[in-house]
Amino acid sequence: MASKLKNNSKAMKSAKKEKKSSKEEKRIISRPILEGSEDMPSILEESSKAMKYAKKEKKSSKKEKKILKEEMISTDQEIAPKLQLLEDDENADSGSEEEFDVERKARALDIEKAQQEEEAEAELQMNIQERHDDFMLPTPEELEESSQKPPNLPAIFQRIKDIVRVLSDFKALRQEGVPRKDYVTQLAQDLSTYFGYNDFFVEMILQMFPAAEALEFFEANETPRPVVLRTNTLKARRRDLAGVLINRGVNLDPLGKWSKVGLVVYESQVPVGATPEYMAGHYMLQSASSFLPVMALAPQEKETVVDIAAAPGGKTTYLAALMKNTGIIFANEFKEKRMKSLSANLHRMGVTNTIVCNYDGRELPKVLGTNRVDRVLLDAPCSGTGVVSKDQSVKVSKSDVDIQNCATLQKELILAAIDMVDAFSKTGGYIVYSTCSITVAENEAVIDYALRKRNVKVVPCGLEFGRPGFIRFREKRFHTSLAETRRFYPHAHNLDGFFVAKLKKLNNDKALASDKGNSEDVDSVITIEPSLPELNTASNSPTDEKSVQELEDMIKSPSENVSTKKKKFFRKDLKNLPSKEEISKLREDKREALRKESKRKLSSDFTSSHVEAINAGEAKKKKHKKE
């Protein structure tokens, strides 16, 4: 190949020289004509001969170039771009400078690359057009056949994208006679197969997001979130810390405008968890989403703050830094094994205003007292559906039962958190609830439950970004103030899936079922005390008497008919039910009456038995005397 290229270049050089000589001859011949020489005929004859000779030479050079072109095409297709160079040389000016071989080769490579890109783009457009026109759902026979073979992942992923495209414009792209449900069912199966999730998880995500966004969510969970450092402002400044780490070979940038202490690490020549600065407590390795609940709580200096689930200490140390080591922080952790990491991080970061304790969070109001603290942070234990990129086992290990169990625990914890806060605190009275889950049952449903059970309201979190929480989800409807809560997603914000809500306590009284209009609480009150109908007998209205009679019948009736009679009663006369305070008062009166009755019986029994004993003794004495 190299020898042929050399020969070709030599031939081109000789052709150029011949071209130059012919032009020089023309110039020499034309000079005497312009000067008006006397030997005009002889000069014209010579010039015509020279012109003929030049034409012949030109033809021969063109033939040589043609032959060269044919040889280059036939030898190898990779040299095809060189033809462009030959054409450029032929059309170029004879006075232009001769190009170097390296330049020619570079130009040839550029031309070849451009051709390949054009061909690839044309092929891609053709494939897209074919798929756009011809996509059809697989038949049951095809699915059964493919299930008996190893999964073809590229084909499955392509089918996922095609179904997502169809669902985005269903009316225009749908297959005739195929309902939307079939597309969604096939999409769920393919997502489960391709990304490795169980059916419950895939169905939940498809209910929360449109198909295109659900695909983005699943893809985002396959890549880890960036490594983030939080500067410990008790010991260092972010600018100084960044300079030191850059000198150690760490490539980093500020996290974003929303954080003044975060640094995101792109790559590092040293382990960022083992530098002298880390050991000295100048920074904490912490996910960016963990900054958000602390920023929302915004603790002030000299306040009393409780962190209910504190380990491993990232949020607690951030709280201490914002409070500048003043006030008091109660860092509680239920699992004893995690206490070591919590206390170690507190010591390393130089925190001195924190008391570490090991209690069940639901029992903390009994330990610390109710209505005593200024602010509470509850980063509740959850299912972890927002941190799949960290823990891939979540894909298959979670079910609806797990979600409901977590939600029950979270409801108990948030009520305990609210009970500890003093509503009349001069600077506080706030509760922040957060989870690393994206399920509605663990987030909006828990906050809505707290609004119904306690005198609290939702207030803005103070975070500049994030999506608002749901106020309606499928058949569920939540309080409209839940739009002030914030959701964060890996595909939208490049953060772990997270939920943050901020509550303000309005009153130290526990919220009332009657104020909230919750019929479930009324139902529970009635079923707890079977003798409640007797309490309303003081009312003289016929409606009340009838309602009481129905309740008495309901209590005496068999258990299988209780539910139907209950429903009939509530539909008929819900407004005439006693309030919660009246029920509790009457219940206490009844208990007091029972206590008095039992005392009276005991005293009467005692006296009667005592009299009998005395009489028996006297009878024995009389008998003994007679004997």
Side-chain angles (χ1 to χ4, degrees), residues 588-616:
E588 281 297 323
D589 294 342
K590 187 176 178 182
R591 288 194 187 113
E592 189 64 28
L594 288 171
R595 286 192 204 101
K596 288 180 180 178
E597 183 67 22
S598 61
K599 283 180 182 178
R600 190 182 61 77
K601 284 182 179 179
L602 284 172
S603 61
S604 62
D605 291 344
F606 175 77
T607 52
S608 61
S609 60
H610 186 63
V611 168
E612 287 176 1
I614 291 171
N615 292 334

Side-chain angles (χ1 to χ4, degrees), residues 260-273:
K260 296 181 180 179
V261 294
L263 291 168
V264 57
V265 177
Y266 300 113
E267 57 181 355
S268 175
Q269 297 177 5
V270 294
V272 290

Side-chain angles (χ1 to χ4, degrees), residues 194-248:
Y194 188 82
F195 291 104
Y197 290 85
N198 60 15
D199 295 338
F200 164 75
F201 202 115
V202 173
E203 185 180 354
M204 177 186 68
I205 298 300
L206 289 176
Q207 289 173 359
M208 290 181 64
F209 301 114
E213 192 173 358
L215 179 58
E216 291 176 7
F217 173 82
F218 287 122
E219 288 180 329
N221 283 336
E222 299 304 307
T223 56
R225 305 278 78 76
V227 177
V228 176
L229 315 177
R230 179 181 59 79
T231 308
N232 182 15
T233 53
L234 296 174
K235 291 188 174 184
R237 293 191 306 171
R238 184 168 72 169
R239 181 183 296 177
D240 299 337
L241 177 64
V244 172
L245 292 177
I246 287 169
N247 291 335
R248 293 192 184 278

Side-chain angles (χ1 to χ4, degrees), residues 257-459:
K257 293 181 181 179
W258 57 272
S259 174
K260 296 181 180 179
V261 294
L263 291 168
V264 57
V265 177
Y266 300 113
E267 57 181 355
S268 175
Q269 297 177 5
V270 294
V272 290
T275 62
E277 289 75 27
Y278 178 82
M279 300 298 183
H282 290 188
Y283 65 88
M284 181 86 174
L285 278 169
Q286 188 174 354
S287 65
S289 56
S290 297
F291 293 16
L292 303 172
V294 180
M295 293 170 64
L297 188 65
Q300 306 299 310
E301 295 180 30
K302 298 181 182 178
E303 284 188 336
T304 303
V305 180
V306 178
D307 187 357
I308 292 182
K315 298 179 186 68
T316 308
T317 53
Y318 195 4
L319 289 170
L322 292 176
M323 296 169 66
K324 298 180 181 178
N325 258 344
T326 63
I328 300 175
I329 300 173
F330 291 97
N332 179 70
E333 175 53 44
F334 175 63
K335 293 182 179 178
E336 192 175 350
K337 291 180 180 178
R338 305 185 71 189
M339 298 284 288
K340 293 180 181 178
S341 62
L342 172 60
S343 58
N345 281 321
L346 290 173
H347 285 298
R348 183 175 62 83
M349 302 291 278
V351 176
T352 58
N353 67 338
T354 301
I355 299 170
V356 179
C357 51
N358 175 222
Y359 291 102
D360 186 340
R362 295 169 289 187
E363 304 297 324
L364 276 179
K366 298 178 183 177
V367 179
L368 302 177
T370 58
N371 310 325
R372 294 291 182 88
V373 304
D374 298 304
R375 297 173 196 251
V376 173
L377 174 62
L378 173 57
D379 185 30
C382 64
S383 60
T385 52
V387 289
V388 179
S389 59
K390 290 181 181 177
D391 184 9
Q392 296 288 320
S393 66
V394 177
K395 291 182 175 182
V396 294
S397 63
K398 300 302 174 185
S399 65
D400 188 39
V401 176
D402 298 322
I403 304 298
Q404 294 305 322
N405 290 339
C406 288
T408 303
L409 174 61
Q410 289 156 358
K411 289 174 182 177
E412 293 175 354
L413 287 172
I414 197 170
L415 293 185
I418 294 169
D419 291 342
M420 282 190 286
V421 173
D422 182 12
F424 304 110
S425 169
K426 293 180 180 179
T427 58
Y430 294 101
I431 305 98
V432 166
Y433 173 84
S434 63
T435 65
C436 55
S437 172
I438 61 170
T439 62
V440 175
E442 296 179 85
N443 298 322
E444 285 87 353
V446 174
I447 300 299
D448 191 67
Y449 175 82
L451 292 176
R452 289 186 282 109
K453 292 293 183 180
R454 295 290 185 270
N455 282 316
V456 292
K457 67 174 182 178
V458 180
V459 295

